Amino acid sequence: QVQLVESGGNLVQPGGSLRLSCAASGPILRIYRMTWYRQAPGKQRELVAGITSTGVTNYLDSVKGRFTISRDNAKATIYLQMNSLNPEDTAVYSCNADIATLTSGRSTDYWGQGTQVTVSS
């Protein structure tokens, strides 16, 4: 089955940087949009950054200029480079992808398990 696996979460000091990765695997026919979400304790999940199959990106206003989403289609992987991190960025970051599989040919939403990012001194 299709799987999304995130990595790269960690504890980092304010002002620091982290790079998250999300790799898709399985019987994939085509990957459309891929997106990073985050959810902090007691808060609603929010879209952080998204990227289409052609590289068009969008960002949450509060991360513009600090975060960069990128995509390697050959590796079925997206990345989130996070710079100038602050405590408000602390959350579980999850990857979401719209994927058409070899078995069905239709696109379906898939989610990764999430990776914890903690920004604290």
Side-chain angles (χ1 to χ4, degrees):
Q1 68 277 19
V2 172
Q3 287 187 317
L4 297 178
V5 178
E6 302 101 331
S7 61
N10 210 332
L11 170 64
V12 63
Q13 291 188 340
S17 298
L18 281 176
R19 188 193 195 208
L20 306 183
S21 300
C22 171
S25 63
I28 296 170
L29 174 63
R30 182 173 179 178
I31 304 176
Y32 297 93
R33 181 179 181 80
M34 299 185 79
T35 308
W36 285 103
Y37 286 83
R38 70 184 181 187
Q39 187 166 21
K43 294 187 177 181
Q44 289 189 333
R45 184 172 61 198
E46 59 183 358
L47 188 153
V48 178
I51 186 167
T52 68
S53 58
T54 57
V56 177
T57 60
N58 67 293
Y59 295 93
L60 180 68
D61 282 347
S62 63
V63 308
K64 287 179 180 177
R66 300 188 298 122
F67 291 11
T68 302
I69 188 170
S70 60
R71 177 169 178 157
D72 186 333
N73 287 328
K75 295 182 179 180
T77 299
I78 59 169
Y79 306 94
L80 187 67
Q81 178 66 43
M82 306 186 294
N83 299 326
S84 302
L85 286 161
N86 58 62
E88 289 71 39
D89 297 315
T90 295
V92 174
Y93 285 70
S94 299
C95 175
N96 171 269
D98 187 14
I99 298 174
T101 65
L102 292 168
T103 51
S104 73
R106 295 175 297 164
S107 63
T108 304
D109 244 16
Y110 291 90
W111 288 88
Q113 81 288 351
T115 186
Q116 177 70 47
V117 172
T118 302
V119 185
S120 175
S121 54

